[in-house]
Amino acid sequence: MKKLKRFLLIDDSKATNFFNKTIIEKVQCVEEVFIAENGKQALDHIQSEIIPEIIFLDINMPVMDGWEFIAEYQKLDDRYKGSIIILMLGTDLSKEDEERAERILEIKEYAQKMLTKESVCKIVTKYFKRSESDSCSESYKKII
């Protein structure tokens, strides 16, 4: 069964990145998980033509935060964007952040900062209903 190619975690917390990467790898639904510690690194990564299928985006980061990343991402040439699914992550999104995220087409949804196997599988099966999600579907069945 074919896995998705790559995910990109954008978060300045090394502990959060380690935890989320470990959870994603346990689900076994993607070949590679890349990490960027701020929006600038993430944009550089995407423009190097290593384009992820899913981006997990933190809001508060130094150098370039999640909102600034989205603003710059929207300016990118379409060849860099493809059909990327962006999920905004936060510990507690304020009502204002939720409303702001809902107005941005590129942000498909928002979730808790610390991922779970269930949340990763839910995202993958929701947005990738093709054969690529089969490995995640099998892992998801084992979880529930």
Side-chain angles (χ1 to χ4, degrees), residues 4-5 17 26 36 51 58 61-62 70 75 89 91 99 101-102 128 130 134 136 138:
L4 294 170
K5 282 273 189 212
N17 284 330
K26 284 185 179 196
I51 300 168
D58 185 27
M61 296 175 287
I70 288 292
K75 297 174 189 175
L89 301 178
T91 47
E99 290 171 358
E102 287 173 358
F128 299 93
R130 302 178 317 264
D134 289 348
C136 190
E138 287 176 17

Side-chain angles (χ1 to χ4, degrees), residues 109-144:
E109 50 188 273
Y110 38 88
Q112 289 298 310
K113 191 171 189 173
M114 303 309 273
L115 298 173
T116 64
K117 288 180 183 180
E118 182 180 25
S119 65
V120 172
C121 283
K122 185 176 171 186
I123 291 161
V124 170
T125 56
K126 179 177 181 177
Y127 293 102
F128 299 93
K129 296 180 182 183
R130 302 178 317 264
S131 61
E132 287 97 334
S133 67
D134 289 348
S135 61
C136 190
S137 295
E138 287 176 17
S139 293
Y140 185 66
K141 288 175 193 170
K142 291 175 190 173
I143 295 165
I144 53 174

